[in-house]
Amino acid sequence: MAAPKTQGAVAGLEEQDLESCSGVAGVDCEESNSKDCILEPLSLPESPGGTTTLDGSASVPCIFCEEHFPVAEQDKLLKHMIIEHKLVIADVKLVVDFQRYILYWKKRFTEQPITDFCSVIRINSTAPLEEQDNYFLLCDVLPEDRILREELQKQRLKEILEQQQQERNDTNFHGICMFCNEEFVGNRSVLLNHMAREHAFNIGLPDNIVNCSEFLCMLQKKLDNLQCLYCEKNFRDKNTLRDHMRKKQHRRINPKNREYDRFYVINYLKEAYPELWWKSLL
Ligand SMILES: [Zn+2]
Ligand SMILES: [Zn+2]
Ligand SMILES: [Zn+2]
């Protein structure tokens, strides 16, 4: 999950001619490396739910116009901004809070011209002038963008740690063992420890897990759909699945399933502090 810095890699834009504009990407390199060039600390949008549609689901506005798109359809917004406004955002998959990211830039773009922030990519640079097209590239070569991306990661880590703390102290947890149907109330660790001890089902230490109820719900759903948690094969009935998981020692989760990453606090730490994480391995 550590974010590789593939600066300026924009899929589908070949024959690009990167041209630095007034004081952005590449020009003030030495200056860019120091934090002095950021005149004031970034102020992140307070509430991620800055805009809400009528049905209550969150939406994200276009940076340039009044169009809105549901958060879940961020690709549509990105496409809209490329086609209508010629803006390309690099490595957008690595932005951990897309809504806050967009709201931040929407505000900044009203304050300063786009060329203060974006590099210009000239498409078709060898073609006659009238066939050439300029696109604007927003990417983390720009110190302000890089810091914004890092701040969003740290902000998310903070929220995750708060959530983890709350779950750690919560004594109102209520859950049912997915193997023997025994009911547990109190702290989530009681159920997790029971499953580890009684059924050799170990998903990690309770304190390393976040959004535990959601995690268990997801696992329960898979079992309800008669799917083995480890090999993810489907079975015709409950008993066959139960026997299979016991006999084959498949009472564990598939470590390759990336769906589970977001339930482990370590992944948020790695993301927010990649440099610290790598150091700890040496
Ligand atoms: Zn627009
Ligand atoms: Zn049990
Ligand atoms: Zn299996």
Side-chain angles (χ1 to χ4, degrees):
M1 281 190 74
K5 297 265 189 254
T6 49
Q7 290 165 345
V10 190
L13 292 176
E14 285 162 4
E15 229 192 293
Q16 47 181 258
D17 182 9
L18 271 167
E19 198 183 76
S20 298
C21 309
S22 51
V24 277
V27 174
D28 299 330
C29 269
E30 281 122 71
E31 205 188 332
S32 309
N33 289 334
S34 79
K35 290 204 171 177
D36 308 345
C37 57
I38 302 295
L39 297 174
E40 49 189 307
L42 302 188
S43 59
L44 298 178
E46 270 300 313
S47 146
T51 39
T52 308
T53 51
L54 284 178
D55 65 357
S57 61
S59 72
V60 194
C62 168
I63 289 181
F64 304 95
C65 71
E66 295 309 309
E67 285 264 14
H68 276 71
F69 295 84
V71 171
E73 292 174 18
Q74 78 176 55
D75 285 353
K76 282 193 187 158
L77 171 56
L78 294 170
K79 196 174 163 194
H80 163 84
M81 291 196 290
I82 293 174
I83 293 169
E84 300 295 328
H85 311 288
K86 302 198 182 300
L87 178 79
V88 179
I89 301 174
D91 295 326
V92 74
K93 292 279 175 260
L94 303 177
V95 173
V96 299
D97 190 332
F98 183 67
Q99 194 182 34
R100 276 193 180 132
Y101 180 85
I102 294 294
L103 289 173
Y104 177 86
W105 282 120
K106 188 173 176 69
K107 179 170 173 285
R108 291 292 282 134
F109 277 31
T110 61
E111 295 164 352
Q112 277 168 251
I114 186 168
T115 44
D116 279 6
F117 304 113
C118 294
S119 310
V120 176
I121 306 170
R122 193 179 298 149
I123 304 292
N124 257 344
S125 59
T126 52
L129 211 59
E130 60 277 11
E131 285 171 34
Q132 292 184 6
D133 217 348
N134 286 339
Y135 282 79
F136 299 99
L137 176 69
L138 183 59
C139 75
D140 66 1
V141 168
L142 177 74
E144 186 171 344
D145 185 76
R146 180 174 48 77
I147 291 169
L148 172 62
R149 286 169 186 242
E150 288 170 3
E151 284 303 316
L152 290 174
Q153 287 172 335
K154 292 187 169 81
Q155 178 68 28
R156 187 164 79 160
L157 174 64
K158 191 174 151 256
E159 287 164 3
I160 284 292
L161 291 175
E162 280 166 6
Q163 172 69 20
Q164 182 202 30
Q165 191 59 38
Q166 191 260 321
E167 286 178 38
R168 189 179 284 179
N169 299 328
D170 183 18
T171 52
N172 293 315
F173 174 86
H174 175 258
I176 293 168
C177 171
M178 52 184 113
F179 301 104
C180 70
N181 291 331
E182 194 177 331
E183 249 185 274
F184 291 88
V185 282
N187 192 271
R188 83 242 180 284
S189 61
V190 185
L191 173 57
L192 294 184
N193 291 338
H194 161 84
M195 291 196 296
R197 258 200 309 267
E198 303 299 321
H199 309 288
F201 181 72
N202 204 334
I203 53 172
L205 292 173
D207 278 353
N208 296 343
I209 292 170
V210 67
N211 291 319
C212 184
S213 296
E214 197 188 336
F215 192 7
L216 293 175
C217 232
M218 183 189 262
L219 298 175
Q220 183 67 57
K221 235 182 214 159
K222 283 177 192 281
L223 292 178
D224 290 347
N225 290 329
L226 304 173
Q227 193 183 44
C228 169
L229 297 177
Y230 185 69
C231 67
E232 302 188 337
K233 280 188 194 137
N234 283 292
F235 291 82
R236 63 176 186 278
D237 59 59
K238 248 185 177 156
N239 286 339
T240 324
L241 171 63
R242 196 181 301 155
D243 287 349
H244 160 86
M245 288 180 71
R246 188 173 42 83
K247 280 188 201 148
K248 296 259 181 186
Q249 296 188 327
H250 282 189
R251 268 191 190 154
R252 46 200 166 133
I253 58 171
N254 180 356
K256 289 190 186 131
N257 191 331
R258 300 270 73 92
E259 270 184 291
Y260 305 137
D261 285 355
R262 63 195 179 91
F263 299 113
Y264 292 92
V265 174
I266 186 75
N267 291 320
Y268 299 91
L269 266 166
K270 274 156 74 172
E271 190 180 71
Y273 296 98
E275 58 295 335
L276 290 184
W277 169 248
W278 290 115
K279 262 180 208 158
S280 74
L281 285 180
L282 298 175

